[in-house]
Amino acid sequence: SQQGEEDPQALSIQEGENATMNCSYKTSINNLQWYRQNSGRGLVHLILIRSNEREKHSGRLRVTLDTSKKSSSLLITASRAADTASYFCATAFWSNYQLIWGAGTKLIIKP
Amino acid sequence: GAVVSQHPSRVICKSGTSVKIECRSLDFQATTMFWYRQFPKQSLMLMATSNEGSKATYEQGVEKDKFLINHASLTLSTLTVTSAHPEDSSFYICSVNPETQYFGPGTRLLVL
């Protein structure tokens, strides 16, 4: 099952622009993860941010985490056509290692 | 959305034995299924893509002779962990992908 909320559900921008996706969750977490899924393919892990971290970078990706607001954002800078995919956030809880998933944001980068 | 089941939900076995995990798509005919493993409080790692009627595609670093995948029908894929060792203890999750990802509930494997 998928829980949590992501917005926007869909985002279409021009190549070169920055893309920002948000994720909200409901309970305390151990960490929050972002994944990418290209059409017809499996999920690929992008970045993991722990509950005691506020910001993390990986290449053109920047992830922030605000535990007081129970929200996270994923920023992709200088977008490329190859970034076109669906992006999912998932939260991991303290007591087990099952992930709770957001519904995903479909990102389209127009050349 | 698609309903996906897995069996068993948890299994404990002795080192050296083989364990088979089933993934069933209950209301969707899936030509492709995905197998993931997840260590405690860590990311979900894609292991392989299971293709109905053909060989699975394994991700880099995943031993295909260790993790045997069979996708004999449009509703069933199986993952067999052969000669399991304690380091194979993990949470194994399958998913199907009509338009978006639908996950099974997972199988917790503990190898003693």
Side-chain angles (χ1 to χ4, degrees):
Chain A
S1 65
Q2 292 185 330
Q3 300 180 33
E5 296 178 7
E6 287 174 85
D7 73 271
Q9 288 187 329
L11 179 62
S12 180
I13 60 173
Q14 290 294 137
E15 193 168 23
E17 294 180 340
N18 296 340
T20 300
M21 290 159 273
N22 302 297
C23 169
S24 61
Y25 57 92
K26 298 178 180 177
T27 65
S28 297
I29 62 172
N30 176 279
N31 64 67
L32 185 145
Q33 302 164 34
W34 284 92
Y35 291 80
R36 183 184 70 229
Q37 182 187 29
N38 292 89
S39 180
R41 303 288 301 276
L43 288 165
V44 174
H45 177 252
L46 294 177
I47 198 165
L48 181 152
I49 185 166
R50 302 192 187 281
S51 60
N52 61 351
E53 296 175 310
R54 292 296 167 257
E55 188 170 310
K56 207 161 182 180
H57 297 255
S58 177
R60 294 183 295 112
L61 305 180
R62 173 176 167 253
V63 168
T64 63
L65 179 64
D66 187 335
T67 52
S68 66
K69 295 181 180 178
K70 292 187 170 57
S71 68
S72 173
S73 68
L74 170 67
L75 168 68
I76 303 174
T77 60
S79 63
R80 304 168 183 169
D83 295 329
T84 294
S86 291
Y87 291 82
F88 295 85
C89 71
T91 51
F93 296 86
W94 292 102
S95 59
N96 59 58
Y97 43 78
Q98 280 186 275
L99 294 176
I100 304 296
W101 295 85
T105 294
K106 192 165 186 177
L107 175 65
I108 297 173
I109 308 298
K110 295 179 285 187
Chain B
V3 179
V4 181
S5 70
Q6 276 183 246
H7 178 80
S9 59
R10 59 177 63 205
V11 57
I12 301 172
C13 69
K14 291 182 180 179
S15 185
T17 60
S18 294
V19 176
K20 179 186 281 188
I21 302 170
E22 294 185 348
C23 176
R24 292 184 184 273
S25 175
L26 300 181
D27 58 354
F28 177 78
Q29 293 189 322
T31 55
T32 304
M33 292 186 180
F34 302 97
W35 285 97
Y36 299 84
R37 68 184 296 182
Q38 184 186 17
F39 292 103
K41 298 179 180 177
Q42 292 191 29
S43 311
L44 206 62
M45 302 300 296
L46 179 64
M47 297 175 66
T49 302
S50 171
N51 304 299
E52 188 266 335
S54 64
K55 292 182 180 179
T57 304
Y58 289 82
E59 295 298 304
Q60 192 172 8
V62 178
E63 299 176 58
K64 60 182 179 181
D65 295 330
K66 172 77 173 175
F67 299 99
L68 299 178
I69 290 173
N70 184 284
H71 193 158
S73 77
L74 291 171
T75 59
L76 174 64
S77 176
T78 60
L79 168 68
T80 300
V81 184
T82 62
S83 187
H85 289 96
E87 57 265 30
D88 297 325
S89 297
S90 190
F91 194 60
Y92 293 87
I93 306 170
C94 71
S95 71
V96 302
N97 182 30
E99 292 292 329
T100 185
Q101 200 93 175
Y102 294 96
F103 287 86
T107 297
R108 196 164 299 186
L109 170 64
L110 177 61
V111 184
L112 302 176

